[in-house]
Amino acid sequence: MSEIRRAKRRVTVSPGESVRIIRELQELSQNQLAELAGMPQSTISAIERGRVNLGVERAKSLARVLKCHPAVLVFPGWDMNAESAA
């Protein structure tokens, strides 16, 4: 039997894709997320498609509803081991 090796490949995810992934994992529709976050469903759709920037304030609103840190949405590909915040 062959030895199992860790995957080295990473998937690049945009902020909009991170919103969609977390929303779907929590089994929320765009309409439900929009209502809970207090923004139009069209804005959620535009964020997920990358047509509207997420922005800090929107990230905070969505993070409260999705129960995650806003940085998870704004910087989905951040690798703390490889990159410095400074």
Side-chain angles (χ1 to χ4, degrees):
M1 183 174 266
S2 66
E3 185 178 320
I4 298 174
R5 288 183 269 158
R6 288 182 93 181
K8 293 181 183 179
R9 194 166 160 175
R10 290 189 173 256
V11 176
T12 303
V13 178
S14 71
E17 290 170 323
S18 69
V19 171
R20 180 186 53 79
I21 290 166
I22 295 170
R23 174 182 62 77
E24 288 178 350
L25 286 170
Q26 295 187 19
E27 299 180 351
L28 292 171
S29 68
Q30 286 184 350
N31 284 329
Q32 290 168 321
L33 178 57
E35 186 176 320
L36 293 168
M39 60 181 70
Q41 179 274 331
S42 60
T43 301
I44 301 294
S45 177
I47 289 168
E48 290 184 1
R49 292 177 182 212
R51 294 182 180 188
V52 170
N53 287 332
L54 181 57
V56 175
E57 292 308 314
R58 287 187 186 123
K60 287 180 189 177
S61 296
L62 293 172
R64 282 186 199 100
V65 174
L66 296 171
K67 297 176 181 77
C68 67
H69 194 280
V72 171
L73 303 176
V74 178
F75 303 109
W78 186 270
D79 183 356
M80 289 179 51
N81 296 323
E83 300 178 52
S84 170

